[in-house]
Amino acid sequence: MANSRVAIVTGAARGIGAATAKRLAEDGFAVAVIDLDEKNCAETVSAIEGAGGKALAVGCDVSDAEQVQAAVDRIASELGAPTVLVNNAGVLRDNLLFKMSEDDWDIVMGVHLRGAFLMSRAVQKHMVEAKWGRIVNLSSTSALGNRGQANYSTAKAGLQGLTKTLAIELGKFGVTANAIAPGFIATDMTKATAERVGMGFEEFTQAAAASIPVARVGQPEDIANTVSFFADERSGFVSGQVIYVAGGPKA
């Protein structure tokens, strides 16, 4: 039945979002690839289409209610009613508390929290009508606290509360909501962090791997595989959960 199903992945131009979009396409979903700039979605879309899948590039600022509604309406008309939503869009504005500006705080809250709320609210109608749905929110091990990330860690912890509430409200409609909290994943975002702290990326990842029980850093595909499980028919009795995909029990 997944062949006729439509998934939305936000922040899917690169990194975890791109890997997730590709994996869901492999699983048989038609995938709406959302990012701030539609042009940046082209690579993910062509990779999916090149592998025989179906994808649609959609430009959308997930923190803007009108853009979100327009994007979901367009996806429903061009691909079909979306019943899987992966809220992955995210930004970093790291700084220590005494140096963090209101903008640093508001931008991070807007994309992560408001974005996940707006997308979930817009898509739930299609899930409720279908009496089947899957919402997967991308949290982070930073939800447990991380120096220089008062904004990001608060947003990622907030997503866990949103996930649990969505699970409670939407469960009776056949909709599950779960969260994934990645640990260190090798992406452009972690490369930017390495640059910010003045380290080469290889040195940075080696240092991170040294403290991870499985002795390696994560890859975007590690997260995509976990999304694939949550989006699957077989995970229908798993809801409101937060799974740490971090190579060990804690960050």
Side-chain angles (χ1 to χ4, degrees):
M1 188 170 173
N3 290 336
S4 60
R5 288 198 169 135
V6 175
I8 295 175
V9 183
T10 69
R14 57 187 189 166
I16 289 170
T20 296
K22 291 171 196 169
R23 178 59 207 260
L24 291 175
E26 278 173 37
D27 292 346
F29 291 93
V31 183
V33 176
I34 289 186
D35 215 274
L36 194 55
D37 186 343
E38 193 169 311
K39 290 196 293 290
N40 293 341
C41 301
E43 207 173 306
T44 305
V45 169
S46 65
I48 289 169
E49 289 175 344
K54 190 173 183 188
L56 174 71
V58 181
C60 176
D61 174 355
V62 295
S63 68
D64 182 309
E66 282 180 17
Q67 286 191 38
V68 165
Q69 194 57 58
V72 172
D73 290 346
R74 182 184 159 204
I75 291 159
S77 68
E78 292 189 35
L79 280 185
T83 51
V84 170
L85 170 64
V86 183
N87 286 310
N88 166 73
V91 291
L92 289 177
R93 292 291 185 275
D94 294 355
N95 231 326
L96 292 172
L97 179 65
F98 75 100
K99 287 196 281 194
M100 188 173 284
S101 70
E102 289 93 337
D103 276 352
D104 290 338
W105 179 269
D106 291 343
I107 287 165
V108 168
M109 292 301 149
V111 176
H112 294 267
L113 276 179
R114 182 181 164 91
F117 155 66
L118 291 173
M119 288 299 306
S120 300
R121 189 181 65 179
V123 174
Q124 58 80 32
K125 177 175 87 80
H126 297 289
M127 297 179 175
V128 169
E129 281 170 10
K131 296 188 170 54
W132 191 93
R134 300 284 188 263
I135 297 171
V136 184
N137 294 321
L138 268 291
S139 178
S140 167
T141 51
S142 293
L144 303 169
N146 199 25
R147 180 178 167 82
Q149 291 195 319
N151 48 6
Y152 186 80
S153 62
T154 301
K156 291 307 197 181
L159 282 169
Q160 297 188 14
L162 175 65
T163 299
K164 290 172 186 291
T165 302
L166 294 176
I168 291 165
E169 290 189 13
L170 298 174
K172 66 183 175 191
F173 303 108
V175 178
T176 67
N178 291 286
I180 297 169
F184 190 106
I185 309 294
T187 64
D188 288 346
M189 213 181 239
T190 45
K191 277 193 185 107
T193 306
E195 281 169 27
R196 190 170 53 78
V197 298
M199 280 174 92
F201 191 54
E202 198 168 321
E203 186 192 355
F204 191 63
T205 53
Q206 281 171 354
S211 63
I212 298 171
V214 300
R216 70 169 176 90
V217 299
Q219 298 299 324
E221 291 71 25
D222 290 312
I223 306 306
N225 290 338
T226 313
V227 175
S228 175
F229 166 70
F230 281 139
D232 192 87
E233 205 65 62
R234 291 168 292 186
S235 65
F237 202 55
V238 183
S239 196
Q241 299 307 300
V242 180
I243 184 164
Y244 282 76
V245 182
K250 55 184 189 282

